[in-house]
Amino acid sequence: MEKTDPPTSLGVFKPVGHIVIAFRDEAQVQAAVIALLAQGFASAALVRYTPAEMTDQVNAQVAAASPLAEFGQEINLIKSHRALALRGCSFLVVHAPEDEQAEGVAELARAMKAVAAQRYGSFLIEELIETPVEPALATPP
């Protein structure tokens, strides 16, 4: 996935075959990157977003999204990413198209107490973090 040209559907971020993880800060992202590289993921399979980068991407996509995007969950999900970014969360997008890879990434996200993690499929976006998000991180500003 290219950060400068992210995959979209109806103008909204939809990285099929990837897992998007929100972490409280960049230090957690760095620790996750180190752990994923140790698991055998290639550095090209890992894309980082600072809070500002995620906010800018979401703002641009919301402004340009097709009206049809309102019918899917993708638009609401990117808005939640923006809310998390505005609270300082950093993001890691991991290319993990195989179930075994995705499970390893999900386990890592849960072990590191990530704020949120979603696995993007063609027709379904799966929430990977079962514990509720801290209220301060869940409510938009």
Side-chain angles (χ1 to χ4, degrees):
M1 183 187 98
E2 293 292 324
K3 188 190 305 191
T4 57
D5 186 24
T8 61
S9 174
L10 301 173
V12 177
F13 187 57
K14 187 170 182 186
V16 173
H18 292 75
I19 295 174
V20 178
I21 310 168
F23 289 103
R24 284 174 179 74
D25 55 39
E26 179 58 31
Q28 279 191 307
V29 171
Q30 182 59 29
V33 166
I34 291 167
L36 290 167
L37 291 172
Q39 285 184 25
F41 282 87
S43 60
L46 311 174
V47 178
R48 301 175 196 212
Y49 283 88
T50 66
E53 289 171 333
M54 184 57 77
T55 300
D56 290 347
Q57 177 175 293
V58 172
N59 289 341
Q61 289 181 350
V62 167
S66 163
L68 295 174
E70 294 292 332
F71 294 107
Q73 90 185 74
E74 291 89 351
I75 193 92
N76 292 327
L77 191 53
I78 67 165
K79 287 177 180 178
S80 74
H81 290 165
R82 176 175 56 197
L84 292 170
L86 289 171
R87 284 174 173 71
C89 288
S90 295
F91 293 79
L92 182 63
V93 181
V94 183
H95 186 239
E98 304 299 326
D99 288 344
E100 185 176 311
Q101 292 172 317
E103 185 52 39
V105 175
E107 287 176 17
L108 176 75
R110 288 190 288 268
M112 293 186 71
K113 300 196 184 320
V115 176
Q118 298 89 25
R119 181 182 184 192
Y120 283 75
S122 296
F123 301 107
L124 178 71
I125 300 172
E126 177 185 1
E127 289 289 340
L128 301 175
I129 303 289
E130 289 121 19
T131 57
V133 174
E134 295 172 16
L137 291 174
T139 309

